[in-house]
Amino acid sequence: MHTRSVPLAPDVDLEIIARSTPGLVGADLANLVNEAALHASRTNRTTVAMEDFEESFDRVVLGSERKIYLSEAERRVIAYHESGHALVAWYQPQSDPVHKITIVPRGMALGVTQSIPTDDRHNLSEEYLEARIAMALGGRAAEQLGLGSITTGAQNDLETATELARHMVVSWGMSQKMGLFSFDDSPQAVFLGRELAGSPHISQRTAAIIDEEVTRLLHEGYETAESILTTNRAKLDTLANALLQEEVLDEDQIARLIGPRALEGGIATPKPWKAAVTDAGAQV
Amino acid sequence: MHTRSVPLAPDVDLEIIARSTPGLVGADLANLVNEAALHASRTNRTTVAMEDFEESFDRVVLGSERKIYLSEAERRVIAYHESGHALVAWYQPQSDPVHKITIVPRGMALGVTQSIPTDDRHNLSEEYLEARIAMALGGRAAEQLGLGSITTGAQNDLETATELARHMVVSWGMSQKMGLFSFDDSPQAVFLGRELAGSPHISQRTAAIIDEEVTRLLHEGYETAESILTTNRAKLDTLANALLQEEVLDEDQIARLIGPRALEGGIATPKPWKAAVTDAGAQV
Amino acid sequence: MHTRSVPLAPDVDLEIIARSTPGLVGADLANLVNEAALHASRTNRTTVAMEDFEESFDRVVLGSERKIYLSEAERRVIAYHESGHALVAWYQPQSDPVHKITIVPRGMALGVTQSIPTDDRHNLSEEYLEARIAMALGGRAAEQLGLGSITTGAQNDLETATELARHMVVSWGMSQKMGLFSFDDSPQAVFLGRELAGSPHISQRTAAIIDEEVTRLLHEGYETAESILTTNRAKLDTLANALLQEEVLDEDQIARLIGPRALEGGIATPKPWKAAVTDAGAQV
Amino acid sequence: MHTRSVPLAPDVDLEIIARSTPGLVGADLANLVNEAALHASRTNRTTVAMEDFEESFDRVVLGSERKIYLSEAERRVIAYHESGHALVAWYQPQSDPVHKITIVPRGMALGVTQSIPTDDRHNLSEEYLEARIAMALGGRAAEQLGLGSITTGAQNDLETATELARHMVVSWGMSQKMGLFSFDDSPQAVFLGRELAGSPHISQRTAAIIDEEVTRLLHEGYETAESILTTNRAKLDTLANALLQEEVLDEDQIARLIGPRALEGGIATPKPWKAAVTDAGAQV
Amino acid sequence: MHTRSVPLAPDVDLEIIARSTPGLVGADLANLVNEAALHASRTNRTTVAMEDFEESFDRVVLGSERKIYLSEAERRVIAYHESGHALVAWYQPQSDPVHKITIVPRGMALGVTQSIPTDDRHNLSEEYLEARIAMALGGRAAEQLGLGSITTGAQNDLETATELARHMVVSWGMSQKMGLFSFDDSPQAVFLGRELAGSPHISQRTAAIIDEEVTRLLHEGYETAESILTTNRAKLDTLANALLQEEVLDEDQIARLIGPRALEGGIATPKPWKAAVTDAGAQV
Amino acid sequence: MHTRSVPLAPDVDLEIIARSTPGLVGADLANLVNEAALHASRTNRTTVAMEDFEESFDRVVLGSERKIYLSEAERRVIAYHESGHALVAWYQPQSDPVHKITIVPRGMALGVTQSIPTDDRHNLSEEYLEARIAMALGGRAAEQLGLGSITTGAQNDLETATELARHMVVSWGMSQKMGLFSFDDSPQAVFLGRELAGSPHISQRTAAIIDEEVTRLLHEGYETAESILTTNRAKLDTLANALLQEEVLDEDQIARLIGPRALEGGIATPKPWKAAVTDAGAQV
């Protein structure tokens, strides 16, 4: 219990905070609480509020804000990139709702789009996974559509999308062409011996099908992203320009700028705080 | 002898208990007995009954019940998934009889279908193996037929079915196309040296035949599952709805809901307690 | 000299015993002698006879008899399986003579067919090797012909036959298609460095020829076994039924049941005691 | 702070110096400052000026000047080689501006072309990467066009260009044929396990596409270089001859010899001092 | 100097002895001398003669004579096998002259054909290598022609011939199809790093050519052996029968039985004592 | 400074000596000087002359002269082999000039052709590399043309030529078919991780192109050598015969025997002493 000695405001739900940081170990959580308490004291409050945790979350998970010189041209690329992620998520009901977008550099990231699942998810549906791939590729698609030029900033997005698509094909039986053939090819599995010697039981033919299907899923995801952004071309400019001016936009601000998000078939009661960092525009 | 100091009720057959837990080591068995004794004392009985062992078996082998929040949508997915396993087993005489299905999360599992072999099995027939593959794929088929959407919850089932199909093809000579060519490709074998260097004696052509045959066996198993579930479409809804309400259903309850299981060619005298956990709906 | 302190009966030929256990080290041999002496004293004899060594051989090499529950269905599978091995050996003059068949589980084996080479063999002829492959596959063929269903019990037989066929192709120059190209691909060779890195000098084309030729040899061996068993269909039932009743049959009993073995071209003077365990019906 | 005890001239901008040497560790920076101070004192000045740092940069990063015997023929090859790099950069607006070219051997290099990015670059655009490949191949193209013979001096350039092209194809999604399929194939990744065993998930088909696309990008880059040099054939001779005479040429001298560089679409305000060593004409 | 304390007969040429045992280390040579001295004293002579070294060479290099039971059938196989080696060498002028053939088992060998190069050979010609392959395959060819059945006894011969053929193709540029492409694929080379990772620079196409050419050279060598033995069919029987009776035949005895060896183009002055063990009929 | 205590004759240029032994470490150089001083004192001179260094160079770099028995046939093979190297170099203006040829065995070599670059070479041109391959293959070509039989003596030459050709294709961009695709495949690179796991980024298609191009370059080099030797057939006999008689021939003696070397396009001022050992006729 890392929060016992810190008086909490009534709106702080420790369970949600704990669940929202699954990758952090004890020391990180203690750090999170300390940062929140520090932030509260800096703003002369005697209890730690939910906003203090939001602040400390950004600092601990994403890293501190960084003062780095960015040319106007680069800021535009990042603004369009993040707006692309946000818009693709905004108009796919299966996507997790967008919590915040920012072009303030933090840690290794030049910009971030945070989306938050409305529920703990245990089983992920095929539709949700497809939406997540499309959202990941939305940054690259926005650079292409909005600025007519693509950059290395999409590297992390491409790796994430490839990894998801690959799991759909080889672990989750979601490719007709591959069929239900399934195996665990996570890094750890390699060391368990089965696949140590070059995986003799995966033939070149199967390997080619896997690559083909992964490429197809990525292509379809990009087409979804491109289609959403083409349909909402003006809103992409609106969002990117607002982001260049404001640097941070939360869900409400986005809604005021471009209207309500698509909810058909979606889930209506977003819960705060289980943030998943979709994109970080890795710095080269 | 881990049970000497605990007075046992007359219905407790230690041999069956010991045989039903082949994967457990001494310490686990002691744990099993302690848990059973504890459960007995909690219900104010002075002897440990078979039901206490059933309780402790669930706790030790599957893990404790877990209080995790599941949306109604997710509970439906799990209910249909487990009902799918159960129904496919129910209508295949070669399958082991179904002992219990549940959607109470335990350990890593969100739901479980327990089936129990009627005898110790030493040699497994081709028909039995095919039935086991179909049963493993019954969960995915039920999601598809009952809810029109598939999820990542089938990952473990797919891996199990792939592993069984692969053994049929490469170790048990059960593929006409592969012929009687047989080798041991278990993880341990890799370290014995023969296959260390990329298995030069398995040509790409043979590797492709293996993948093709494994995929075919999986496809046939899925078609069997799909056919049983389509024929018994209404019973799938009945079972899933009952499961959503009751959370646990045993063999008798299932029989009352959907009628007697298919026994043509099957074995009539199910023995309690040699439970094989068919599916655990792995949590992502 | 492990037998010095034990008075031996005149019929005991220590040289034969020593030669019949090539895989055993000193400690095992001492064990063999002790077991024989024990067996003699248990039957109140003052000298150790050849039958005592036969008994101790079974115990030491195959393991002790095991009391495991086998359903009637499983005993039938094992009886037909072992009868298949025995019949195929019985009607191939090149095969080593059959010494004993049994369906009493011992060690890891559910049943055993013992055959004994009539001489020390130093060079093995192509015909002898082909006969050995056919005999190894006789178990599976008997399951198929006699019971119409195949099981996992043939796994060890398939591995043994595959290994023999592979050596014929890659080490002994016995495949026209492969030619005289020969290399040592025993596990140890891998560690000597030449083949460490994926055997660059074996092309995919050569690897495919190897797999093809091994598969062909296995197929031909199975056809030989199938043909012998089809021709002697009634004797297969006779032998399997006798085995179900008697549990153990020696060479003389077999001869009384199905007539003399084929000797045309065979070797007439079987020597006792150099037992090769052909099949052990591995327990799954 | 390695410069505290050294009085700096007003024109020295420590931040630019620090940013211009990203690959150097603390000890190297201290060395840089010491060398600059030494150079200042050798020329009897009491403050360290920017030119002192330029001098020490050359010495520390490129190594000391080396007295090695070069035949006139070899000096001509190097002069054309470096002039090729410089000209290709000069006439591509996307290239970083050329800072200096020299054929004085330093460290392992026989000649150097220094180009300096006008801004910190975080995301690199596809056009910039293509220009960088063309510039890297400009040395080889100049040997071919100017002297009619090619040498091993381009080895480093070819490796650099291949590496860039490969990243464009496999990490940055910049090949239509490869699609958005992306993975991290940096040396470190190999040790993280996923790709340890021969990268089973990259099929031969995908590997062939990668090689094809990398080769295409290199071919296009060479054609760009060749086209620029053919168009400016006389200037290539001018530059190479001046270099043979002067041994070092800075941006202003180059501009006086061949006119202003192409700036259409380029960035107009070059910042001094973030030198990237494009080519070093490795000594064989 | 291991012979100093032993009085040598005038016919002993220590240099020849030393050169004839290139694979032996110091301790082995000391052993060789001791054995020779022992043999001399056993026959009551005071000086060690060349025949004593011959005796000790057999004992040290080939191992002691072994008393193992061989059936008449097996002795015939070995006699034809060794006669085959000897005859193929006898009628190829390029072969090293035959020194001795024997079917007395020694060490691991059931029979041996010793041939002795007439000179130290430093560069081996293509014709000599082809003759050596044919001689190595003469044992197998003799089994086939003389007895109509082949055995595992040729395993070592096949490996030796394959190794020679492989070196001709990959190291000595003696295959038109392979061309002059050459690399060192000896076991040690693997550990030097170049080929550690699966030899990326040998394509499947090259590997297939290598296998094809090695197979062709072996096929041609076998045809040469077969042709010599067919032409000298009666002499094969003569030699094998004499060997069955005498167990050892030296060059002179062979010449008396089948006439002078072919010398056309051969070297006329055989030197004693540089024995190369061509074949050892490995015991299975 | 290893020469301080030794009085040097005025013609000794220490810098040239140091540069001519790039592969030698300090201890080797000391050895070189000691040997030269020894040689000077053996010939009763008080200063060490250039000829003493030449003598010591042979002894230290090539090894001492060895007294080994060579048949006349073998001496002829070696004489033609070395004459082949020398002639091919003699008539290619791009080749380094020939300094000396010898058939006196030294160290591991049965014969040596020394050629000396006229200048330090830093960048090697494509034409120079092609000439070096042709010269390396001249030994084999001379055996074929002069004696009609080829031997294993060319093994080192073939490996050297293959290595050079391979570098031209994969590192120096000198194959049209391969294009500018370039990577470092030196042994050390393997351990740096990138290529550790079977070089996933080199497809089979690329590997086949590499092998094809390397084979083509070797074929072209051999044709050049063959053409030069055919044109100068009589001079090959002249040179080989002189070598058989004299055992060593220097540049002047060669010129007297066969006329001046081709200098068209070549470099006219050979410098003494930077000897590169082209061929050593490895002893098998």
Side-chain angles (χ1 to χ4, degrees), chain C residues 163-184:
Chain C
E163 211 54 31
L164 271 177
R166 185 164 166 78
H167 272 97
M168 289 174 72
V169 173
V170 305
S171 305
W172 297 328
M174 291 173 177
S175 149
Q176 289 282 343
K177 202 158 187 178
M178 180 69 179
L180 298 165
F181 193 115
S182 168
F183 55 91
D184 181 4

Side-chain angles (χ1 to χ4, degrees), chain A residues 119-157:
Chain A
D119 267 310
D120 275 350
R121 288 181 188 276
H122 302 93
N123 288 335
L124 308 180
S125 74
E126 194 179 17
E127 295 79 18
Y128 172 74
L129 293 164
E130 287 168 350
R132 213 147 117 173
I133 289 173
M135 185 188 170
L137 300 179
R140 160 63 60 95
E143 291 183 33
Q144 179 67 57
L145 281 176
L147 305 170
S149 166
I150 60 177
T151 71
T152 57
Q155 177 166 359
N156 278 352
D157 298 334

Side-chain angles (χ1 to χ4, degrees), chain F residues 61-77:
Chain F
V61 176
L62 303 177
S64 312
E65 288 190 17
R66 289 202 305 147
K67 286 263 182 302
I68 59 174
Y69 174 78
L70 289 170
S71 66
E72 262 323 289
E74 284 207 293
R75 289 184 77 238
R76 267 178 76 81
V77 170

